[in-house]
Amino acid sequence: MLPRENRLRQRRDFSATYSRGRRFDLPCLALYVRRTDAERVRLGFTVGRKVGSAVVRNRVKRLLRESCRLMLDALRPGFDGVFVARACLRGKSYNEVRAMVAELVQRAGLIGGNKRNDGMEHER
């Protein structure tokens, strides 16, 4: 499980990330990212009813959380991110989900690199 300080939990944080963040897309998964002044990265997960029953949605969330937990040390601080699962994510294996998460995080510039050169506007 993700540590408490690395979780997005409040509705206003999710809303701010959706409205003021940048979106990175794959066919089965999207990532919204916005800059913050925090000394950590915080992540949230959204899995709607179109993905499947409660059992299926919870499995998808577990796969996403575990994929993010394992790469948490490599993520740069100062970002909020929300992963949005789409229906085609249902039935994917852990390795497929982990590869998708890694690709989106890489595209968003959250791993390595120069903070000033990531193309993201600073949000307050």
Side-chain angles (χ1 to χ4, degrees):
M1 176 167 282
L2 281 174
R4 188 176 192 96
E5 64 269 7
N6 295 113
R7 287 186 247 161
L8 269 183
R9 297 186 344 229
Q10 296 187 350
R11 183 182 185 109
R12 70 174 179 245
D13 293 332
F14 276 85
S15 296
T17 303
Y18 288 136
S19 64
R20 294 192 297 263
R22 286 189 61 197
R23 186 177 78 199
F24 300 89
D25 285 308
L26 290 175
C28 295
L29 190 63
L31 171 62
Y32 290 82
V33 178
R34 78 177 174 110
R35 293 280 307 259
T36 64
D37 291 330
E39 293 295 321
R40 65 191 179 281
V41 63
R42 296 186 309 166
L43 300 171
F45 306 93
T46 302
V47 183
R49 288 187 186 161
K50 289 182 180 180
V51 174
S53 67
V55 172
V56 172
R57 292 193 310 267
N58 285 329
R59 175 173 165 68
V60 167
K61 281 187 276 189
R62 283 194 309 273
L63 292 174
L64 289 170
R65 278 195 302 261
E66 181 63 10
S67 298
C68 291
R69 184 187 69 82
L70 292 175
M71 64 175 53
L72 201 56
D73 290 338
L75 298 179
R76 292 186 314 156
F79 288 94
D80 284 350
V82 176
F83 286 92
V84 180
R86 297 189 176 128
C88 61
L89 198 61
R90 174 183 47 234
K92 298 286 186 194
S93 72
Y94 169 71
N95 290 328
E96 290 171 314
V97 172
R98 188 171 179 191
M100 286 184 240
V101 168
E103 183 176 342
L104 285 175
V105 166
Q106 187 70 36
R107 280 191 198 178
L110 298 182
I111 294 181
N114 184 358
K115 285 186 181 183
R116 287 178 172 53
N117 196 17
D118 62 8
M120 299 214 32
E121 295 295 321
H122 184 70
E123 301 289 336
R124 288 203 179 219

